[in-house]
């Protein structure tokens, strides 16, 4: 039984684990955060410390064995949004499609279906009771949540068959397909092919049962090299390079200027520090430009973490 296996592996009493399983749906702190790119708020379900521990145990001991397609760039070690942008940079035409309510659309039934189908890949057999335990631990109201550490790994796995189908279909059409969480990207050098592909994508969603997904039509975007091409927030330039874009560069320069004038808040300074580290991974030449313009001393002062006073 899975509960006994977890107990033996962690040293935690099986009675306590059973209580967590029974109460799991009530062990979340629920709050909202503003969405970054659109209006409105995103609902977060943050699991308790105990529940989070068992969710991570499941990731490390079971979910890690589930297949994830190579075209997926989200939540994976040694992969980031720059790597994903690079696979599309040489293509003239692009389609971006967004999945509606991504994590909540993925159900406990989808996970159970996928675990049974891939049982041969798992390190040990799971009974029907074990599957119920897993569903209880990683789902709230039998759906994945934003905030649980297990949701990213599960989402990557549950879309494996979908990713495999579309990667193979696109390869035959000379289209590049990649996915970052709920963002789907298709690019090609062939004109007028992506509109037909979008129609087929909509039909696929209508037929597919595991998982049952749908498009957010408001975020479906066609673009070409003549216009601004964005991949997970990064800009693909007309020279087929990956950049953070001129707008963000202007903002960063403005923030550095304010930092030098001691006009930057602590929160903005923290954001600036993190974003410069991100830029260094995506577009390191721009960081060198900033260093030349504002001086090494200023850049080092920005990157130096403030001391936390002890009380």
């Amino acid at each position: 039984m899975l509960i006994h296996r977890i107990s033996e592996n962690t040293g935690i009493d099986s009675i306590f684990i059973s209580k967590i399983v029974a109460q799991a749906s009530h062990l979340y702190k629920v709050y909202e955060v503003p969405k970054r790119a659109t209006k409105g708020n995103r609902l977060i379900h943050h699991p308790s410390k105990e529940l989070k521990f068992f969710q991570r145990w499941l990731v490390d001991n079971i979910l890690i064995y589930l297949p994830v397609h190579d075209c997926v760039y989200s939540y994976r070690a040694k992969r980031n949004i720059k790597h994903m942008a690079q696979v599309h940079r040489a293509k003239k035409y692009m389609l971006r499609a967004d999945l509606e309510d991504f994590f909540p659309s993925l159900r406990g039934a989808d996970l159970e279906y996928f675990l049974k189908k891939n049982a041969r890949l798992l390190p040990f057999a799971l009974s029907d009771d074990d599957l119920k335990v897993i569903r209880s631990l990683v789902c709230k109201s039998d759906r994945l949540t934003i905030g649980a550490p297990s949701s990213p790994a599960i989402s990557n796995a549950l879309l494996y068959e979908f990713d495999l189908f579309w990667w193979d279909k696109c390869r035959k059409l000379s289209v590049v397909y990649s996915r970052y969480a709920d963002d789907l990207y298709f690019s090609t050098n062939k004109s007028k092919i992506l509109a037909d592909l979008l129609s087929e994508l909509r039909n696929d969603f209508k037929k597919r049962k595991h998982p049952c997904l749908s498009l957010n039509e408001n975020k479906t975007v066609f673009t070409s090299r003549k216009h601004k091409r964005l991949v997970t927030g990064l800009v693909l330039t007309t020279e087929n390079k990956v950049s953070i874009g001129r707008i963000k560069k202007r903002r960063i320069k403005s923030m550095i200027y304010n930092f030098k004038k001691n006009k930057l808040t602590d929160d903005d300074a923290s954001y600036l520090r993190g974003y410069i580290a991100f830029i260094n991974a995506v577009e390191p030449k721009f960081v060198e430009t900033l260093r030349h313009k504002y001086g090494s001393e200023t850049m080092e002062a920005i990157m130096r973490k403030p001391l936390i006073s002890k009380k």
Side-chain angles (χ1 to χ4, degrees):
M1 188 174 180
L2 181 60
I3 289 178
H4 293 148
R5 186 182 292 273
I6 297 174
S7 177
E8 291 174 0
N9 183 265
T10 62
I12 298 173
D13 188 83
S14 59
I15 296 176
F16 176 79
I17 300 173
S18 296
K19 288 181 179 179
I20 295 296
V21 172
Q23 300 170 4
S25 283
H26 305 286
L27 299 178
Y28 291 87
K29 179 182 178 181
V30 183
Y31 56 93
E32 295 181 340
V33 297
K35 292 183 178 180
R36 288 180 298 175
T38 58
K39 295 181 180 179
N41 295 322
R42 193 182 305 280
L43 194 62
I44 305 296
H45 292 80
H46 193 86
S48 68
K49 180 175 66 176
E50 295 81 6
L51 180 56
K52 189 183 297 184
F53 174 85
F54 294 118
Q55 290 173 342
R56 285 176 173 155
W57 189 93
L58 291 173
V59 172
D60 294 338
N61 293 274
I62 296 177
L63 303 176
I64 195 174
Y65 292 95
L66 295 176
V68 177
H69 199 276
D70 197 51
C71 69
V72 178
Y73 289 81
S74 50
Y75 319 123
R76 304 185 72 179
K78 298 181 180 180
R79 286 195 167 198
N80 57 41
I81 58 176
K82 179 182 179 180
H83 297 138
M84 177 161 156
Q86 285 175 326
V87 305
H88 297 283
R89 63 182 180 178
K91 303 302 181 183
K92 295 179 181 178
Y93 309 101
M94 179 176 293
L95 162 66
R96 177 204 168 185
D98 184 88
L99 299 175
E100 186 88 50
D101 295 328
F102 185 44
F103 281 170
S105 295
L106 301 174
R107 305 161 297 167
D110 298 322
L111 178 57
E112 183 170 337
Y113 165 84
F114 199 70
L115 286 168
K116 285 181 176 179
K117 192 167 186 179
N118 292 278
R120 69 189 187 284
L121 301 177
L122 302 180
F124 48 83
L126 296 172
S127 67
D128 288 344
D129 286 339
D130 293 338
L131 294 172
K132 290 178 182 178
V133 167
I134 294 173
R135 288 174 67 165
S136 295
L137 288 174
V138 302
C139 296
K140 181 174 174 60
S141 301
D142 210 37
R143 295 182 181 273
L144 297 192
T145 66
I146 302 172
S150 49
S151 292
I154 294 172
S155 68
N156 273 353
L158 292 189
L159 267 72
Y160 175 76
E161 293 178 0
F162 173 87
D163 292 327
L164 177 62
F165 173 84
W166 279 98
W167 178 84
D168 187 56
K169 183 180 186 66
C170 288
R171 179 179 57 85
K172 294 174 181 176
L173 295 171
S174 299
V175 174
V176 174
Y177 164 70
S178 68
R179 180 173 65 82
Y180 195 99
D182 55 351
D183 288 326
L184 315 178
Y185 288 89
F186 305 82
S187 65
T188 183
N189 286 325
K190 294 183 177 181
S191 62
K192 302 178 182 179
I193 192 174
L194 295 180
D196 292 337
L197 208 63
L198 178 59
S199 297
E200 293 185 51
L201 186 64
R202 291 192 182 104
N203 291 331
D204 182 22
F205 283 137
K206 291 178 182 178
K207 296 182 294 183
R208 199 173 290 271
K209 295 181 179 180
H210 291 289
C212 185
L213 299 169
S214 60
L215 286 178
N216 183 342
E217 297 290 353
N218 292 328
K219 291 187 177 181
T220 300
V221 178
F222 288 97
T223 189
S224 69
R225 192 178 290 171
K226 294 180 180 179
H227 302 89
K228 190 175 182 180
R229 295 173 298 159
L230 290 173
V231 177
T232 55
L234 297 178
V235 176
L236 303 183
T237 70
T238 54
E239 295 82 20
N240 297 332
K241 295 181 180 179
V242 178
S243 171
I244 64 169
R246 284 179 290 182
I247 294 175
K248 289 180 180 177
K249 286 180 179 180
R250 284 197 296 267
R251 183 187 179 193
I252 292 300
K253 288 178 180 179
S254 175
M255 293 180 77
I256 295 175
Y257 175 82
N258 287 330
F259 178 87
K260 290 190 70 172
K261 298 293 184 180
N262 293 319
K263 294 181 179 179
L264 209 62
T265 66
D266 289 342
D267 286 344
D268 284 343
S270 179
Y271 171 85
L272 179 60
R273 185 181 305 114
Y275 204 79
I276 288 175
F278 168 72
I279 297 171
N280 198 43
V282 173
E283 198 174 354
K285 288 185 178 180
F286 180 59
V287 176
E288 288 302 313
T289 300
L290 295 174
R291 192 178 298 276
H292 179 75
K293 181 179 179 66
Y294 297 102
S296 295
E297 187 175 334
T298 297
M299 297 299 291
E300 288 169 7
I302 292 171
M303 300 308 293
R304 196 179 301 126
K305 291 185 179 180
L307 295 175
I308 300 175
S309 59
K310 295 181 180 179
K311 296 184 178 179

